[in-house]
Amino acid sequence: MADPKGFLTTPRETAPTRPVEQRKQDWNEVYVPGGLLPIISKQAGRCMDCGIPFCHNGCPLGNLIPEWNDYAYREDWKAASERLHATNNFPEFTGRLCPAPCESACVLGINQPAVTIKNVEVTIIDRAWDSGDVTPQPPDRLSGKTVAVIGSGPAGLAAAQQLTRAGHTVAVYERADRIGGLLRYGIPEFKMEKRHINRRIEQMRAEGTKFRTGVEIGRDMDGAKLRKRYDAVVIAAGATAARDLPVEGRELGGVYQAMEYLPLANKVQEGDFVAPPVSAEGKHVVVIGGGDTGADCVGTAHRQGARSVTQLEIMPRPSDDRPSHQPWPTMPMTYKVTSAHEEGGERVYAVNTMRFEGDEDGNVKALHLVEVEFQDGKFVPQPGTEKVIPAELVTLAMGFTGTDQRNGLVEQLGLELDARGNIARDKDFTTNVDGVFVAGDAGRGQSLIVWAIAEGRSAARAVDHYLTGASILPAPIRPTDRPLTV
Ligand SMILES: Cc1cc2nc3c(=O)[nH]c(=O)nc-3n(C[C@H](O)[C@H](O)[C@H](O)COP(=O)(O)OP(=O)(O)OC[C@H]3O[C@@H](n4cnc5c(N)ncnc54)[C@H](O)[C@@H]3O)c2cc1C
Ligand code: SF4
């Protein structure tokens, strides 16, 4: 156990952030660089090393949280990093981006603020990189088997790293021009600087994983031919078919899907553009959708110099505290203020968009909304609550409806989809096609990075077993498993 009295004597303290006015002027991560190190060992010391650590179950990776909390408390960073990597290939991604369902399941959280698990995680891995403890781990021998991984998001990368380390020859195919999936072209730089992806890719290359960018399987290369060329295929192509808003004026200029808007800002940071082809500068911006993707649009619009930013959500405002029907240790739906929300803008709940109004040039200039109440399974407009707000740039961030691969990869391989539009798989991540596996959002639907990594690791074990009849890779989390939290 870390500090036997830590939870009694040390209050919870989280990562310090830079002042809002300063961070809105740049795209760097919002946190004070190195700000966690002076406080984190005492924070790790708040861990009670519970007999039954519910945080293990809260974390989809089954991270060994009390073990690395103990090492972090003792400042044995090397051992902490080893324990962290035992279950997580990329803690620098989850330590920055995970909503931390582990903390919702922390036993201390029953009657006190939970342990800052996510902050401990990111400190351990950042220190490990800084001190040279993260090194390539190439396999001792090659199996002679080949695997193609389609998609280079966290699921594809995790599967590829596990399979390479197991001795298979792995090639990752990515349709975008850079590796990383939504980590690269979705999540803004201010949430995670892309240098973290780049150094992992270097580690993976040194271990032997091959990367092919700018190749869309199903368009540039036939899916069935790819299957014949490799001994196994892992589909980790994400779930990026975006939900649309088919109301009057949807076709107007200035109305974009969030994933048409956000990647352009990422590309400016990569040096591809001097200025973003779609910018919020000087505009009244409306973001439709109150989730994480919407928050990323809010933070991006602030940095581009928006005149105003309004975020609309059809659901009522969540409560500040755990609702009684989502008791500990579940992950509750509570009101969250992200770093983007701290930076300004207005959040409007329980409203629906009726139509967009355009100007003489065919560009959106206003949005007509109405308040709604949820009655008998429907959102019912409330008479007399209609309102018009200025809207010169609108981003739609209303979630995703499954794979966008129906006409390419799915058809060519003859893959079955499930009722939600995702690629169907059984509990071993196997699709209906022999030797074809699916991991991450492609099989699960739009989810979380931690789930993508967990599924990539699990699918890798299933592939290893398929190829060799046995596997020493860690035991899988099955897609049918639902932890207590997500
Ligand atoms: C804007 C946004 C912000 C988010 N923020 C967070 C967050 O803060 N925390 C969090 O936990 N989760 C977040 N998520 C969700 C998270 O990013 C995803 O759950 C996760 O990235 C899924 O990983 P994946 O590997 O399954 O798929 P993806 O990351 O979607 O990667 C799939 C990759 O496959 C490639 N691909 C697709 N089809 C083909 C093909 N035919 N051939 C070759 N390549 C192909 C795609 O180009 C893409 O690079 C966010 C999602 C969005 C959209
Ligand atoms: S990956 Fe997420 S759930 Fe798991 S320990 Fe880290 S922050 Fe918690």
Side-chain angles (χ1 to χ4, degrees):
M1 182 171 180
D3 177 0
K5 291 191 181 159
F7 69 99
L8 295 172
T9 54
T10 308
R12 175 179 161 112
E13 210 179 328
T14 51
T17 49
R18 296 187 291 129
V20 164
E21 281 319 312
Q22 184 200 83
R23 68 192 202 222
K24 269 168 55 175
Q25 306 303 317
D26 63 45
W27 292 82
N28 300 337
E29 285 175 11
V30 299
Y31 299 104
V32 176
L36 270 171
L37 202 52
I39 60 170
I40 209 64
S41 289
K42 283 197 92 172
Q43 289 300 310
R46 296 181 70 236
C47 179
M48 301 187 296
D49 193 14
C50 308
I52 298 176
F54 277 73
C55 53
H56 278 199
N57 192 70
C59 174
L61 284 160
N63 272 350
L64 305 169
I65 297 160
E67 293 184 35
W68 39 259
N69 273 338
D70 184 60
Y71 286 121
Y73 173 68
R74 293 170 206 288
E75 300 189 17
D76 186 346
W77 300 108
K78 203 177 171 78
S81 167
E82 186 280 317
R83 291 286 72 201
L84 189 51
H85 281 102
T87 54
N88 189 354
N89 297 62
F90 314 121
E92 64 274 35
F93 305 160
T94 46
R96 286 178 167 79
L97 299 167
C98 188
C102 54
E103 294 185 17
S104 303
C106 172
V107 176
L108 188 54
I110 294 173
N111 65 353
Q112 282 195 46
V115 175
T116 54
I117 298 169
K118 174 176 161 176
N119 285 176
V120 177
E121 180 175 28
V122 79
T123 310
I124 295 169
I125 182 59
D126 284 356
R127 273 205 62 112
W129 277 109
D130 290 347
S131 45
D133 289 339
V134 185
T135 52
Q137 295 172 38
D140 294 335
R141 58 175 185 85
L142 293 178
S143 68
K145 302 284 184 188
T146 58
V147 184
V149 175
I150 304 174
S152 69
L157 292 179
Q161 187 165 57
Q162 293 295 95
L163 286 164
T164 301
R165 288 177 176 177
H168 307 303
T169 301
V170 180
V172 179
Y173 289 88
E174 170 55 58
R175 65 182 170 188
D177 57 351
R178 291 186 178 87
I179 296 296
L182 290 175
L183 296 169
R184 172 81 62 182
Y185 287 138
I187 289 159
E189 191 87 3
F190 58 82
K191 271 171 61 179
M192 188 182 76
E193 292 166 13
K194 306 308 164 199
R195 62 191 172 92
H196 300 296
I197 310 174
N198 299 342
R199 62 184 175 187
R200 268 300 166 188
I201 303 306
E202 285 317 305
Q203 182 201 35
M204 290 180 66
R205 280 190 214 280
E207 289 170 355
T209 306
K210 305 269 183 283
F211 292 98
R212 312 260 184 270
T213 51
V215 184
E216 178 167 343
I217 306 302
R219 191 192 62 186
D220 304 315
M221 194 187 286
D222 184 87
K225 279 194 189 142
L226 183 87
R227 171 67 193 95
K228 280 201 190 112
R229 198 194 281 185
Y230 287 87
D231 294 313
V233 171
V234 179
I235 300 174
T240 47
R243 186 168 287 117
D244 213 335
L245 185 60
V247 297
E248 185 187 327
R250 167 66 182 90
E251 72 291 348
L252 289 166
V255 182
Y256 295 95
Q257 282 290 349
M259 283 304 293
E260 291 171 325
Y261 170 63
L262 291 171
L264 298 175
N266 293 69
K267 280 180 164 280
V268 174
Q269 300 312 309
E270 297 283 359
D272 295 348
F273 302 121
V274 178
V278 177
S279 173
E281 189 176 358
K283 292 185 182 146
H284 292 291
V285 176
V286 179
V287 177
I288 303 180
D292 279 348
T293 304
D296 290 349
C297 293
V298 170
T300 300
H302 286 320
R303 281 164 182 74
Q304 290 176 341
R307 192 159 157 204
S308 72
V309 184
T310 310
Q311 189 177 16
L312 308 180
E313 168 56 49
I314 199 165
M315 299 294 289
R317 181 191 184 281
S319 58
D320 291 321
D321 301 318
R322 245 183 214 284
S324 55
H325 66 282
Q326 294 173 345
W328 179 90
T330 61
M331 189 172 174
M333 287 284 291
T334 51
Y335 183 70
K336 291 197 180 66
V337 180
T338 69
S339 70
H341 296 122
E342 287 169 4
E343 292 162 4
E346 192 188 354
R347 300 164 85 177
V348 185
Y349 286 91
V351 289
N352 201 1
T353 302
M354 294 189 297
R355 68 185 181 92
F356 301 112
E357 187 184 326
D359 62 15
E360 55 282 3
D361 297 324
N363 293 318
V364 65
K365 71 168 187 185
L367 182 150
H368 293 241
L369 58 81
V370 63
E371 289 177 20
V372 289
E373 263 185 29
F374 195 65
Q375 293 166 5
D376 302 327
K378 285 197 304 261
F379 292 101
V380 181
Q382 300 301 293
T385 62
E386 297 82 1
K387 204 173 155 190
V388 184
I389 58 171
E392 294 160 305
L393 172 67
V394 176
T395 65
L396 308 178
M398 302 181 308
F400 298 86
T401 57
T403 178
D404 66 352
Q405 304 291 307
R406 290 179 179 84
N407 296 327
L409 187 60
V410 167
E411 204 174 70
Q412 290 167 8
L413 277 167
L415 293 164
E416 285 170 7
L417 299 183
D418 66 17
R420 291 162 59 226
N422 305 309
I423 297 172
R425 75 275 179 88
D426 70 8
K427 59 186 171 46
D428 288 320
F429 300 86
T430 315
T431 67
N432 59 308
V433 181
D434 179 53
V436 179
F437 298 77
V438 62
D441 284 3
R444 184 179 186 83
Q446 186 74 219
S447 180
L448 295 174
I449 290 154
V450 62
W451 268 112
I453 300 172
E455 288 209 5
R457 290 170 63 85
S458 304
R461 179 178 156 101
V463 173
D464 192 27
H465 205 280
Y466 171 82
L467 293 175
T468 64
S471 181
I472 54 158
L473 291 174
I477 292 172
R478 299 186 187 280
T480 46
D481 275 0
R482 291 283 178 272
L484 292 166
T485 46
V486 183

